[in-house]
Amino acid sequence: MEYTNSQIRELIAEYIHSQRDRELLCRRLIDGLTIERLSEEFSLSPRQTRTIVHKCEAILFKHLP
């Protein structure tokens, strides 16, 4: 099943509690930014960024049908 950008935003808002993590995941999943670009934008290391993205994706995917 494919989700629209607005559906993805709603899922992120519902299940991701940290504002920073919500913004980061939206930029990754909706805007398609790379880990490197996200790490620069959010002043994180690429490793930290990758960890956050993977953790948040796991939370979201757990709640998808």
Side-chain angles (χ1 to χ4, degrees):
M1 177 175 184
E2 283 196 35
Y3 293 89
T4 65
N5 287 346
S6 61
Q7 289 171 319
I8 294 170
R9 282 185 199 282
E10 287 174 20
L11 288 168
I12 290 170
E14 184 172 352
Y15 296 112
I16 306 302
H17 302 294
S18 162
Q19 178 66 31
R20 181 202 63 191
D21 293 356
R22 284 195 301 268
E23 290 175 14
L24 195 148
L25 200 56
C26 282
R27 298 287 282 150
R28 175 70 174 160
L29 297 179
I30 295 170
D31 300 333
L33 268 62
T34 64
I35 294 295
E36 291 76 19
R37 178 79 169 98
L38 288 169
S39 65
E40 291 172 11
E41 186 173 313
F42 287 87
S43 299
L44 300 166
S45 73
R47 172 176 254 157
Q48 288 173 306
T49 304
R50 197 173 295 108
T51 299
I52 293 166
V53 168
H54 289 278
K55 177 191 74 158
C56 291
E57 285 178 338
I59 292 168
L60 283 187
F61 295 155
K62 182 171 64 172
H63 294 285
L64 297 179

